[in-house]
């Protein structure tokens, strides 16, 4: 089954047929009930045929220092003192599937990074040129270059599973139910309920991490210490770097406009899809079914 | 499970995994369920999310469980009894216990005989020469007139159990607990408050534990203290309550049920002892009688023992078992001493079985399946030398484990030169769990059928085929050559469709048992409850005259005429409490919560109507499968039908080291016992005396060390699995940050840990999760490391030291479980 594309790297717009609408999906991660068992790490590798990666014990329960081209899902372990108590924080790290994906914005290869209508941000290896620009565009330090394939690699939010109605592999493997999957709206509801519960349980600063600097993400995270995302190795206020934005919003569209064929294409698209008009040359808001 | 059996009557998890979701309070102590039982742990989370349950984690380390707990309390490894008796004291002092429950369902009101006493660390009846107690000193007082148990329902008589308990625990003040356990007093009091909040009809809490309690020289008494606390709080038999023992392996419960240890036969029947030469003698010794005949009397279910035993013998010897030959009882081996595995390896090492009345040569051969003695036993240097004395060794395994390659053990383990080892080793490739059908019996006593996923690779065979072929070959030898007592082997029944590889469905059917002749209904002799050849339905149908065969009375009901009930997978939940009565089969009798009579009050109404276990509807008990005669009205029988008194035991005379728990230091004691310095460690503990059995002192080994397992690995197997190796690639030593800084030990650097047995090297994991404790006025440092590594890791290269190189051969005197959880070491930079 093919998925409608909302945005595509180095392209003016996506390729939505407009024939159906897709709801934005999201993972839900409740760090307060995660026990760091790493079942999601293994499920991710097994489903995606990755690894294993050579690791060594360097004094931590954490499998690797950071994500890896063969390891897209990593539980980050942090020991933190707070208010005289101790917290051993475990947070599932993977691609956050930003609503405004910095990787996609930074990518110069047409169609190498796409954002589907359901919010999933994916790398298309056929188009990827391995330039690593997406690394610089990502405020979460997620995409990794694979020396084996010469391409970039990251969590796909199991787009192959999701597109046929299954939950991502990591979600399926989670034994405690700290991971859920569904529409972004439902997951936000779930998260808000849990945060209320945590507040009643002594965590006054509990919060949902759904950073608005990137217009929210398709991975929302419940944090007991919501005022300190950095405790969990999360950026406090992530944004797409201004340099990437500049390239995306000004420099590249100028080049694009210069390409006559693209203009013809835009016109053709307009003719085909009627009112889903292009609001300017940027693909940002173009061609969106009501998500 | 000795302590749960001694307290409640059966040695298994009282409730079940799913039932944990019904708890208001969960005390996770002596175990790290998030780490070791991550799938079952979902029910902890469920309780937290749906009921707002409070999870309290008490552990020497801030664990994965502590990470999601509502309250974490540090504790010094091995001081759990002081902690639990401190909570009991708090409950009694503050009145935060369920008095009505205690009066109805426990032996709190029972009077104890004058011979019982406790003074300066010793109970009455201790013989210093043999280091054993004469338990007859701890008997109940009989009423001189009625000859029944003497009872004071008000529980004010100074000789009643409740008052004796109150007196016994009065020493365990919060200050004393803090001094012994190193737990800050405020934290301890917070724990007391949360835990005792369930000491009433409205609320209910559970206690969960695992090997963190079992593996101590006081292990059984630690669990006893927890079981007593739960009786006092009225939490046993109720949904959301119980003492939930989590087993260390996927099928350990099944192994224990089927006679996994030497002292029991299937269904926890007793192994015959030397003097019991006839079935009559044996049954007289094994079948309990009760003094309790009045209201709330005991059903004394063990009075059916002769039926269980006769049916087991019929299942074992078939037609060869007749009334005239006492169903072949004479062919059963009789034990003349302690043959638990630690003793077997000690015999092997010493070259003799002469001890405790036994007089046999040492074993010359060993067959080991599903067990890796080199890894799992304490004091590896002794183990490697013990195995080196064997003539032959057969290992059935799916990996080349350390035991199969014991002769290749690295030099530092102290084994002999391989050229001097006479042992011939046979490794039989065995199939793994996914390569065969069969059942797993989980901690919740569910016999769950699993289906083979893939064929075993190469020449690997299933365990039952390997064992069957050995059996048939040995039987042929006896047929041809005779030998000592050949009947013992020749008379065993072996009626499987494929004798060389029995189908496990057939075996399960045999375990369940069947009627051998028509069994008439005792109420109406013209009717038959079973006809010859029919599968039995429940253990009420068992007979003592040889007309029924049953391989394990406790499992009866698993394979009836309806089929293999272990294969049932219905998620129907009529009670809404997660009992799932048609999901597999739960022993006993498909009952999901044991002792559930105690979930209802004297009139048979649920203590908490939102969480009924069973309730009396005027005619019968409804809800879960009742743990009492189904049509017996409230007041007729007591709630603990397996105990001869019919009540749960706050005071239990059955254990080898005291009727009440008492705080003792580990065998390798870091301090003198603050309560009674003359009796520091458990006086009844078992140690060995060979030259390899050495024990350390704190002047040389000033740190307390403990061992544990990790989520990422399964025992000593998964170091052969690359996917899991990447998650936890190697051996490490967890060291408190404050101590590491003082010693100049950097995270990730190499350290050396040394005990009186040996010395191992690993990567330092410097952590805030272990903190120095103030114990008995001094700073105390605890470190720890996981098991899981060894020198045999196939081609993966993920070898590491065997954790048990360092652990001592000291044991609990009831179960002979080694003390892996507390021993003394020193730590240096490597």
């Amino acid at each position: 089954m093919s998925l409608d594309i909302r945005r595509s790297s180095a392209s003016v717009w996506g390729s939505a047929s407009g024939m159906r609408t897709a709801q934005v999906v999201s993972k839900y991660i409740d760090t307060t009930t995660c026990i760091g068992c790493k079942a999601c790490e293994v499920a991710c590798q097994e489903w995606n045929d990755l690894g294993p990666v050579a690791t060594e014990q360097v004094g931590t329960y954490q499998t690797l220092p950071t994500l890896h081209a063969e390891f897209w899902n990593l539980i980050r372990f942090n020991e933190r003192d707070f208010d005289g108590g101790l917290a051993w924080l475990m947070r599932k790290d993977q691609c956050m599937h930003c609503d405004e994906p910095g990787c996609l914005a930074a990518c110069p290869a047409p169609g190498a990074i796409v954002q589907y209508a359901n919010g999933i941000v994916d790398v298309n290896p056929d188009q990827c040129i391995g330039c690593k620009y997406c690394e610089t565009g990502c405020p979460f330090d997620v995409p990794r270059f694979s020396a084996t394939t010469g391409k970039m690699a990251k969590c796909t939010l199991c787009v192959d599973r999701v597109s046929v109605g299954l939950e991502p592999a990591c979600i399926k493997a989670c034994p405690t139910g700290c991971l859920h999957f569904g529409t972004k709206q439902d997951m936000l509801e779930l998260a808000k309920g849990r945060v209320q519960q945590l507040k009643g349980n002594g965590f006054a600063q509990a919060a949902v991490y759904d950073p608005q600097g990137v217009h929210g993400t398709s991975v929302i995270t419940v944090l007991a210490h919501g005022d300190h995302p950095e405790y969990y190795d999360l950026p406090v206020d992530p944004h797409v770097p201004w340099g990437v934005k500049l390239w995306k919003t000004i420099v590249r569209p100028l080049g694009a406009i210069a390409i006559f064929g693209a203009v013809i294409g835009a016109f053709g698209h307009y003719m085909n899809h009627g009112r889903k008009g292009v609001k300017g040359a940027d693909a940002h808001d173009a061609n969106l079914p009501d998500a | 499970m000795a302590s749960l059996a001694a307290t409640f009557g059966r040695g298994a998890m009282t409730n079940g995994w799913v039932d944990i979701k019904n708890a208001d309070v969960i005390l996770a102590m002596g175990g790290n369920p998030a780490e070791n039982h991550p799938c079952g742990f979902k029910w902890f989370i469920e309780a937290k999310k749906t009921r707002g349950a409070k999870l309290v984690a008490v552990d020497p380390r801030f664990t994965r469980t502590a990470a999601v707990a509502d309250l974490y309390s540090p504790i010094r490894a091995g001081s759990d009894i002081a902690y639990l008796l401190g909570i009991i004291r708090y409950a009694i002092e503050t009145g935060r216990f369920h008095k009505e429950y205690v009066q109805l369902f426990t032996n709190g009101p029972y009077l104890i005989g004058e011979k019982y006493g406790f003074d300066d660390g010793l109970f009455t009846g201790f013989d210093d020469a043999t280091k054993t107690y004469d338990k007859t000193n701890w008997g109940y007082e009989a009423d001189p007139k009625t000859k029944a148990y003497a009872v004071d329902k008000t529980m004010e008589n100074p000789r009643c159990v409740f008052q004796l308990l109150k007196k016994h625990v009065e020493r365990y003040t919060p200050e004393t607990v803090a001094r012994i356990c190193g737990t800050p007093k405020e934290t301890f009091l917070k724990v007391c408050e949360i835990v005792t909040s369930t000491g009433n009809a409205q609320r209910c809490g559970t206690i969960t534990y695992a090997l963190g309690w079992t593996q101590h020289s006081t292990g059984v008494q630690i669990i006893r203290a927890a079981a007593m606390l739960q009786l006092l709080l009225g939490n046993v038999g109720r949904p959301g309550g119980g003492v939930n023992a989590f087993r260390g392996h996927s099928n350990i419960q099944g192994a224990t049920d089927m006679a996994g240890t030497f002292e029991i036969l299937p269904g926890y029947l007793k192994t015959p002892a030397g003097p019991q030469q006839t079935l009559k003698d044996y049954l007289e010794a094994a079948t309990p009688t009760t003094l309790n005949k009045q209201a709330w009397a005991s059903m004394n279910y063990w009075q059916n023992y002769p039926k269980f035993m006769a049916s087991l013998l019929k299942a074992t010897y078939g037609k060869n078992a007749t009334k005239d030959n006492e169903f072949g009882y004479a062919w059963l081996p009789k034990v003349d001493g302690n043959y638990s595995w630690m003793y077997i390896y000690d015999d092997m090492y010493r070259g003799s079985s002469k001890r405790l009345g036994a007089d046999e040569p040492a074993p010359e051969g060993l067959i080991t399946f599903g067990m890796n003695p080199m890894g799992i036993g304490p004091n590896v240097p002794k183990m490697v030398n013990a195995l080196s004395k064997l003539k032959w060794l057969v290992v059935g395994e799916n990996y080349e484990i350390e035991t199969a390659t014991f002769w290749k053990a690295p030099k530092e383990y102290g084994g002999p030169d391989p050229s001097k080892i006479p042992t011939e080793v046979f490794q039989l490739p065995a199939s793994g769990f996914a390569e065969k059908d069969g059942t797993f019996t989980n901690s919740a006593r569910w016999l769950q059928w699993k289906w083979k996923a893939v064929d075993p690779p190469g020449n690997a065979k299933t365990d039952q085929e390997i064992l069957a072929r050995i059996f048939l070959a040995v039987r042929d030898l006896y047929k041809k050559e005779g030998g000592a007592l050949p009947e013992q082997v020749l008379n065993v029944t072996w009626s499987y469709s494929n004798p060389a590889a029995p189908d496990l469905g057939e075996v399960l059917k045999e375990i369940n048992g069947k009627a051998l002749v028509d069994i008439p209904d005792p109420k109406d002799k013209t009717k038959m409850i079973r006809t010859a050849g029919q599968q039995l339905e429940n253990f009420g149908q068992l007979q003592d005259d040889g007309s029924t065969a049953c391989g394990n009375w406790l499992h009866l009901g698993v394979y009836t005429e309806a089929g293999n009930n272990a294969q049932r997978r219905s998620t129907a939940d009529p009670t809404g409490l997660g009992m799932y009565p048609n999901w597999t089969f739960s022993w006993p009798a498909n009952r999901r919560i044991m002792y559930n009579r105690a979930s209802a009050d004297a009139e048979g109404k649920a203590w908490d109507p939102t969480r009924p276990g069973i309730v009396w509807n005027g005619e019968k008990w409804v809800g879960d499968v009742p743990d009492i005669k189904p049509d017996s009205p409230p007041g007729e029988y007591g709630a603990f039908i397996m105990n001869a008194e019919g009540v749960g035991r706050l005071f239990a005379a059955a254990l080898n080291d005291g009727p009440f728990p008492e705080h003792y230091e580990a065998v390798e004691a870091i301090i003198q016992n603050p309560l009674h310095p003359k009796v520091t460690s458990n006086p009844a503990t078992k140690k060995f005396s060979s030259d390899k059995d050495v024990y350390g002192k704190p002047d040389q080994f000033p740190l307390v060390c403990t061992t544990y397992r990790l989520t990422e690995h399964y025992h000593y197997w998964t170091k052969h699995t690359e996917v899991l190796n990447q998650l936890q690639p190697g051996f490490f030593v967890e060291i408190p940050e404050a101590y590491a800084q003082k010693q100049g030990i950097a995270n990730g650097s190499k350290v050396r840990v040394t005990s009186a047995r040996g010395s191992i090297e690993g990567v330092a994991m410097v952590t805030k999760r272990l903190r120095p404790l103030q114990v008995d006025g001094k700073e105390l440092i605890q470190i720890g490391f996981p098991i899981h590594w060894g020198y045999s890791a196939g081609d993966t290269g993920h070898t590491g030291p065997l954790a048990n190189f360092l652990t001592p051969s000291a044991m609990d005197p009831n179960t002979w479980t080694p003390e892996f959880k507390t021993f003394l070491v020193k730590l240096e930079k490597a």
Side-chain angles (χ1 to χ4, degrees), chain B residues 804-822:
Chain B
N804 285 323
F805 193 3
L806 266 54
T807 54
S809 23
M811 295 176 291
D812 179 275
N814 301 285
T815 57
W816 313 290
T817 301
E819 188 155 60
F820 294 136
K821 297 298 185 194
T822 314

Side-chain angles (χ1 to χ4, degrees), chain B residues 491-559:
Chain B
N491 289 342
V492 167
T493 184
W494 199 263
S495 53
Y496 307 109
S497 312
N498 181 358
D503 175 83
L504 289 185
E506 280 180 30
V507 175
L508 193 64
K509 217 171 163 178
E510 184 185 25
I511 288 170
N512 180 87
K514 62 180 178 189
L516 300 170
V517 297
D518 293 353
I519 312 281
D521 186 339
K523 288 179 200 151
D524 178 359
K525 301 266 179 190
T526 60
K527 286 184 189 154
M528 297 295 147
I529 50 172
R530 294 279 91 182
T531 55
Q534 274 190 320
Q535 288 294 107
L536 298 170
E537 289 170 315
N538 57 62
F539 31 70
Q541 296 172 341
L542 289 172
Q543 308 293 323
D544 61 5
D545 59 359
S547 57
T548 53
C550 170
N552 184 340
W553 72 277
L554 265 186
H555 289 180
L556 216 161
V558 69
Y559 205 127

Side-chain angles (χ1 to χ4, degrees), chain B residues 698-719:
Chain B
D699 52 346
Q700 270 179 294
F701 303 103
L703 308 188
V704 173
C705 188
T706 188
T707 62
Y708 36 87
R709 305 186 201 179
L710 300 170
T711 303
E712 293 89 338
H713 279 295
Y714 182 76
H715 234 230
Y716 299 90
W717 274 2
T718 50
K719 61 185 181 297

